[in-house]
Amino acid sequence: MALSLFWVFFLLPTFGKVFSLKDAEAIRGAAVVNGKFPIAVADEDFVCATLDWWPPEKCDYGTCSWGLASILNLDLSNPILLNAIKAFSPLKIRIGGSLQDKVIYDTGDPGEPCRQFVKNTSEMFGFSQGCLPMKRWDELNNFFKKSGAVIIFGLNALNGRVPLKDGSLGGPWNSTNAAALIRYTVDKGYTIHGWELGNELSGSGVGARIGADQYAADVISLKSIVDKIYRDFPDKPLILAPGGFFDAKWFGELIKKTEPNSLDVITHHIYNLGPGVDQHLVEKILDPKVLDGMEPTFRDLQGILKSSETQATAWVGESGGAYNSGHNLVTNAFVFSFWYLDQLGMSATYGTKTYCRQSLIGGNYGLLNTTTFEPNPDYYSALLWHRLMGRNVLSTTFNGTNKIRAYAHCAKESQGITLLLINLDGSTTTEVIVTSKSAFIRSLKQYNTKASRTKFSHIPRTRKTSGFIREEYHLTSPNGNLHSQTMLLNGKILAVDHDGDIPEFEPIKVDASEPIKVDPYSIVYVHVPYFDAPACV
């Protein structure tokens, strides 16, 4: 691409070198994007968030962070909640979590009293069995319709299980109660995008585990139930499983035994930063090696899918980064967008179709504040992704410091590409140019000759790029405070107004002859409409 080629030559002699600017020190680097073809294709509604079952009594490390954020008690009349979901048009919402396998659906069969969760430390996850009243299910579905949300519901997969000698649970899934809920849902005319079986029962499990062979049989059973109840519908809900942590052998067996079409989506969970009580979470979030540590999981799961005959695709069904409800002023603060957006970028690169964040609201990792419902920084990071990053994922590398994370997609509903740049460095500004892979390779070859060095040594900065404009969205925190729950867009505070409306995102327009300036501890979305990318036509 001619308009990028000049900047490659301008930067070649000084990649990674520090030079003096008027206001700061900076280094130079290049984001090299291969726009010839997509390396993966994500869902249009790639961004997803979860709603959980945890009652107010759910506490971790002496802190009770869930408040009234449960499926059973969430205030559905809050205008910010409604507007926050509507802003995505649509937002996928996955209903599930640790307690989902202990929920009974009060459909009148078997007619047991509808008791709510009660704290009991002797029971799995510290709570007794709970219940979903159909009145509440009606309220939820009316809200989902009003908000335009796309719903995935996690079913109770522990019904009917018996303990086995190896410590796992066996016996076929008793699907009677789940089938009654599905039938009730269809009879009421409610739209469910997918039914997911179980939560964190795969591999070694969390609290309980089920063998892959039995789980596959249960998935096939769920598929049969859905096919029967939705037999008169042209489009049937997706079948998802297992909603657990990736275990290559276990996942491989589940996929093999549900081939070719009993399972639509294989879901896995991510809490790669460890417990929420960890005092080194910020260091982990800002460490490129820690972030890269998730690549094998994404890569290995895609390898299993590609080598099988299944039609199933991969989703991240739940991901809060730090387990046990996260960490206040870390997983709900500005710094967490570095981890979160890197996860979105990396997972999409490896073929993940949808990524569900734990949580929409609740705990210390909600996209919305549990008490006020006002958006935390990650909400705005996610909404910008949803609006700017298209489905087609482009191969992207960054030549320069390892503190810059770079991802590119075809622009959403626009020409060119959108580039995401994440600066993990708190003291250095990086000036970035964007170039195609072919132009970068040509420039390297030409620069290796003495004639080329002479030829390009005096080209002025503005040549070949004049007349082109790009749009930039710079995300920062006030005074560089990583623990701030306020996010700035191009220097202006993002906040809802008095009616609870989500603010508009206004980019700054920049002459293409200038490099992209990525400040310390900042995130930049860049829409580059003039980038020649055949994959985006």
Side-chain angles (χ1 to χ4, degrees):
M1 186 175 61
L3 54 88
S4 291
L5 187 57
F6 157 69
W7 272 112
V8 176
F9 286 117
F10 179 77
L11 290 169
L12 270 172
T14 54
F15 274 142
K17 303 290 186 180
V18 176
F19 64 95
S20 178
L21 293 178
K22 290 182 179 180
D23 55 349
E25 287 191 333
I27 61 174
R28 296 165 175 168
V32 183
V33 181
N34 186 348
K36 290 185 176 180
F37 54 86
I39 57 172
V41 180
D43 285 344
E44 188 77 21
D45 46 0
F46 174 76
V47 174
C48 166
T50 68
L51 286 174
D52 213 309
W53 295 93
W54 289 120
E57 295 79 16
K58 159 67 171 172
C59 305
D60 302 280
Y61 320 116
T63 300
C64 307
S65 60
W66 284 87
L68 300 179
S70 166
I71 289 295
L72 298 170
N73 56 35
L74 182 63
D75 179 8
L76 303 178
S77 67
N78 187 284
I80 300 178
L81 178 65
L82 178 63
N83 292 336
I85 297 173
K86 288 176 70 174
F88 280 83
S89 300
L91 175 66
K92 275 189 182 128
I93 294 179
R94 179 246 184 186
I95 297 175
S98 298
L99 295 182
Q100 78 177 56
D101 293 314
K102 304 186 73 172
V103 177
I104 297 299
Y105 318 122
D106 187 26
T107 59
D109 183 14
E112 297 179 1
C114 191
R115 297 189 177 95
Q116 295 311 308
F117 292 110
V118 175
K119 192 171 182 63
N120 186 338
T121 55
S122 66
E123 298 223 21
M124 184 172 68
F125 304 123
F127 287 90
S128 66
Q129 179 178 286
C131 175
L132 174 63
M134 289 303 95
K135 179 181 179 182
R136 180 61 175 178
W137 187 229
D138 294 338
E139 293 171 351
L140 286 163
N141 278 279
N142 289 333
F143 174 77
F144 295 148
K145 182 177 180 179
K146 185 177 181 181
S147 67
V150 174
I151 302 303
I152 296 91
F153 188 89
L155 295 165
N156 49 10
L158 288 182
N159 282 0
R161 308 297 186 182
V162 294
L164 300 179
K165 292 182 180 180
D166 65 359
S168 67
L169 296 176
W173 173 48
N174 183 343
S175 59
T176 302
N177 189 231
L181 176 68
I182 296 171
R183 193 172 294 108
Y184 178 92
T185 300
V186 171
D187 289 344
K188 282 283 192 172
Y190 302 147
T191 300
I192 301 296
H193 185 63
W195 297 99
E196 184 178 30
L197 183 63
N199 184 83
E200 296 177 358
L201 302 171
S202 58
S204 57
V206 177
R209 60 187 175 92
I210 297 170
D213 185 68
Q214 180 59 61
Y215 218 100
D218 299 332
V219 168
I220 293 170
S221 175
L222 174 59
K223 171 71 171 174
S224 177
I225 291 168
V226 169
D227 284 347
K228 181 178 179 180
I229 295 177
Y230 288 87
R231 61 183 177 274
D232 296 327
F233 290 71
D235 297 313
K236 296 179 176 61
L238 300 174
I239 304 298
L240 303 90
F245 293 100
F246 179 68
D247 177 302
K249 182 179 179 181
W250 195 100
F251 271 57
E253 187 175 349
L254 175 68
I255 290 168
K256 182 175 179 59
K257 293 185 176 179
T258 54
E259 292 175 347
N261 57 7
S262 292
L263 182 63
D264 298 305
V265 178
I266 188 155
T267 50
H268 66 109
H269 293 181
I270 296 174
Y271 287 90
N272 63 314
L273 298 176
V277 72
D278 190 341
Q279 296 301 309
H280 300 284
L281 289 177
V282 172
E283 294 98 306
K284 289 181 178 180
I285 291 166
L286 300 175
D287 187 341
K289 292 182 180 179
V290 173
L291 298 181
D292 288 340
M294 276 307 301
E295 281 193 283
T297 294
F298 293 125
R299 182 179 61 244
D300 292 351
L301 179 53
Q302 280 304 308
I304 292 172
L305 291 172
K306 289 179 179 178
S307 64
S308 72
E309 297 179 3
T310 185
Q311 69 172 15
T313 59
W315 288 17
V316 173
E318 179 182 317
S319 183
Y323 59 81
N324 290 342
S325 304
H327 190 117
N328 188 36
L329 299 183
V330 175
T331 54
N332 54 9
F334 177 78
V335 69
F336 210 50
S337 280
F338 295 104
W339 175 86
Y340 179 39
L341 289 178
D342 190 69
Q343 278 282 297
L344 294 184
M346 185 187 299
S347 64
T349 297
Y350 284 97
T352 301
K353 298 295 185 182
T354 290
Y355 191 106
C356 299
R357 166 64 178 264
Q358 173 83 341
S359 61
L360 175 60
I361 187 168
N364 285 318
Y365 36 37
L367 296 180
L368 305 179
N369 183 284
T370 304
T371 304
T372 67
F373 289 77
E374 291 185 4
N376 285 321
D378 281 1
Y379 173 85
Y380 296 117
S381 296
L383 185 55
L384 274 165
W385 176 289
H386 179 75
R387 292 182 177 177
L388 297 174
M389 304 289 271
R391 296 188 64 193
N392 286 357
V393 185
L394 305 176
S395 175
T396 307
T397 57
F398 187 79
N399 287 266
T401 171
N402 70 343
K403 290 289 188 176
I404 293 288
R405 315 286 287 188
Y407 300 97
H409 288 215
C410 291
K412 194 166 190 176
E413 299 178 359
S414 184
Q415 293 182 329
I417 67 170
T418 299
L419 176 68
L420 171 63
L421 298 167
I422 303 168
N423 190 354
L424 304 175
D425 194 313
S427 60
T428 305
T429 295
T430 300
E431 290 197 344
V432 179
I433 56 94
V434 188
T435 183
S436 67
K437 182 178 180 180
S438 58
F440 190 75
I441 292 173
R442 287 198 306 273
S443 69
L444 288 176
K445 290 180 179 178
Q446 294 177 20
Y447 183 72
N448 285 330
T449 69
K450 183 177 180 180
S452 295
R453 297 184 190 188
T454 302
K455 180 179 179 181
F456 289 96
S457 61
H458 301 294
I459 295 178
R461 288 192 175 203
T462 56
R463 187 172 293 182
K464 297 184 183 296
T465 55
S466 60
F468 291 97
I469 298 294
R470 64 175 181 264
E471 295 179 329
E472 298 181 359
Y473 303 79
H474 293 253
L475 301 177
T476 56
S477 61
N479 301 314
N481 180 9
L482 293 177
H483 299 282
S484 175
Q485 292 182 294
T486 297
M487 177 172 270
L488 307 180
L489 172 60
N490 298 326
K492 297 180 180 179
I493 292 175
L494 290 171
V496 298
D497 63 17
H498 64 279
D499 293 322
D501 292 327
I502 303 300
E504 296 294 325
F505 296 147
E506 295 294 337
I508 56 174
K509 298 183 185 297
V510 181
D511 191 298
S513 65
E514 296 296 322
I516 302 163
K517 184 179 178 182
V518 188
D519 289 330
Y521 287 153
S522 74
I523 297 162
V524 187
Y525 284 98
V526 188
H527 176 215
V528 190
Y530 48 82
F531 193 97
D532 182 19
C536 304
V537 176

